[in-house]
Amino acid sequence: IAIINHGKIVASGTTDDVKNMGLQLFYLSLKFNEMGKELEELIQKFAPVKIEIVNNEATVTVREHNVALSILSLAQSSGALKHFEISTASLEDVFVELIDGKKVRASS
């Protein structure tokens, strides 16, 4: 894969190589039997990049995998966790970040 911005290659390599040049974000999707305000406040203490709560579902974005795992552990220990998913930044997310110039790196 190669990402070109204004005629210059800003990233190239395998999908994983290119993804590692961009965003280091982890997305947690958490579904609870019941999500109380106390649980939301505990998650906020981890200073997530973003948190969205709709009914009994929380989507949390963090920059470090150990923070993602800590939040997941907290959610599991609450006894109300029904389902969870963890994902990383998509290739599209990385493309947008690299083209926007936030982390433009020369290819090797």
Side-chain angles (χ1 to χ4, degrees):
I1 294 175
I3 296 177
I4 301 171
N5 188 13
H6 298 288
K8 181 179 179 185
I9 296 175
V10 294
S12 66
T14 66
T15 302
D16 287 338
D17 292 340
V18 173
K19 285 176 76 173
N20 287 333
M21 292 178 184
L23 294 171
Q24 295 296 314
L25 293 177
F26 298 88
Y27 305 104
L28 287 87
S29 175
L30 307 167
K31 295 181 184 179
F32 297 92
N33 292 322
E34 185 176 331
M35 171 116 187
K37 192 71 173 167
E38 182 179 305
L39 189 53
E40 179 183 351
E41 290 171 358
L42 288 172
I43 292 172
Q44 288 285 6
K45 289 184 181 183
F46 288 95
V49 172
K50 183 177 179 182
I51 184 169
E52 293 178 352
I53 297 175
V54 177
N55 299 322
N56 292 324
E57 296 183 23
T59 304
V60 184
T61 305
V62 297
R63 293 200 182 277
E64 298 176 21
H65 73 278
N66 61 329
V67 174
L69 294 175
S70 294
I71 292 172
L72 179 58
S73 178
L74 171 74
Q76 192 277 332
S77 69
S78 75
L81 185 64
K82 287 175 48 176
H83 180 78
F84 73 91
E85 292 180 24
I86 298 178
S87 60
T88 58
S90 69
L91 192 55
E92 179 183 0
D93 294 334
V94 173
F95 173 83
V96 169
E97 181 187 23
L98 290 171
I99 295 302
D100 283 349
K102 295 176 186 169
K103 280 192 168 184
V104 175
R105 298 182 185 185
S107 64
S108 36

